Amino acid sequence: MLQKPDFLILATFLWVVLSAPDTIAQAQEKSLLEESRALAQRFAMQLQTELKAALSDGGPIHSIAVCRDEAPKIASALSRQSGAKVGRTSLRPRNAINAPEPWQSKVLNQYFQPTVQITDRRIEYFSASSGDVRYMQAIRTGGLCLTCHGQMPEGDLTRALDVDYPYDQARGYEIGSLRGAFSITWPNAGRYVEGVEAVSYTHLTLPTIQL
């Protein structure tokens, strides 16, 4: 028969063991969410830096090549560094390589429609299914974006875009409209957060991601 001190030790041990999965799940979820946000922010900041330099050095036409060549390099580098699959996608992609996967298309259609206007909100999607943890964060159309993604009259810039992107769908946006999303996938990372799915519309004190 267990003595009282032994019983208390056993009870404490069982409580720790039984409560651990929830604690681990919460910690894992928070960690992956924060890492995903950081990756999206790094992607945006690095690409913005490249685009601003290109616009300053060679104008809008020069920036087309920079965006075409540098964005995949940034995504690839962040993927290698983090172990996640990092990228961008949209219902109206400019580059066919950014066309949404089936799960992304579903999320974009449900929460990230181009008609949505966002100013001070961060729209995010986070889920764990089939072993993968998936995150998406909305990309807001900012002033810099309009150079190549706004309403553009026929000219050298549109002709250059037509050459590089004959199936371009990413024109005609306005300030604040939702242009797509950063997508972060953590393969086989859903061991502790399986079944989690959430969408948040967070009011921010910091600016939303713009590209």
Side-chain angles (χ1 to χ4, degrees):
M1 182 175 179
L2 290 173
Q3 300 299 315
K4 187 173 182 181
D6 294 330
F7 174 77
L8 289 174
I9 292 170
L10 178 60
T12 301
F13 173 77
L14 287 174
W15 181 85
V16 170
V17 170
L18 291 174
S19 63
D22 287 338
T23 304
I24 293 171
Q26 292 167 0
Q28 182 84 339
E29 179 183 343
K30 182 178 180 181
S31 175
L32 289 172
L33 180 58
E34 290 177 348
E35 288 185 62
S36 298
R37 285 173 174 164
L39 283 170
Q41 192 69 28
R42 287 172 62 190
F43 194 168
M45 293 301 101
Q46 290 180 37
L47 185 54
Q48 277 188 351
T49 299
E50 295 287 347
L51 286 173
K52 287 178 179 177
L55 285 167
S56 177
D57 294 341
I61 293 179
H62 179 54
S63 71
I64 296 172
V66 170
C67 191
R68 179 196 63 213
D69 298 335
E70 294 304 318
K73 290 180 183 178
I74 294 170
S76 179
L78 291 174
S79 297
R80 290 195 304 273
Q81 293 163 14
S82 66
K85 180 182 178 182
V86 180
R88 296 179 300 165
T89 189
S90 173
L91 292 172
R92 292 164 49 186
R94 167 153 289 168
N95 192 329
I97 66 171
N98 294 326
E101 298 176 20
W103 76 267
Q104 293 171 326
S105 182
K106 181 180 178 181
V107 174
L108 287 168
N109 274 297
Q110 191 164 0
Y111 305 111
F112 295 79
Q113 284 285 346
T115 53
V116 172
Q117 294 284 323
I118 52 175
T119 52
D120 61 343
R121 292 178 298 162
R122 175 172 58 201
I123 304 179
E124 301 174 291
Y125 172 86
F126 182 84
S127 78
S129 61
S130 302
D132 293 342
V133 172
R134 295 164 170 171
Y135 171 87
M136 294 178 76
Q137 183 177 154
I139 299 173
R140 174 181 177 267
T141 302
L144 180 66
C145 321
L146 294 181
T147 305
C148 296
H149 290 282
Q151 301 285 352
M152 295 177 292
E154 185 67 29
D156 291 343
L157 179 57
T158 56
R159 285 190 286 272
L161 285 169
D162 290 340
V163 170
D164 279 356
Y165 303 106
Y167 303 106
D168 182 14
Q169 303 177 58
R171 304 182 199 181
Y173 288 98
E174 299 176 352
I175 286 283
S177 57
L178 197 158
R179 196 164 56 78
F182 289 101
S183 176
I184 317 292
T185 300
W186 301 91
N188 303 313
R191 177 181 176 187
Y192 295 114
V193 290
E194 185 74 26
V196 172
E197 184 171 31
V199 177
S200 69
Y201 298 79
T202 308
H203 287 267
L204 301 176
T205 54
L206 297 174
T208 54
I209 289 179
Q210 303 180 34
L211 270 179

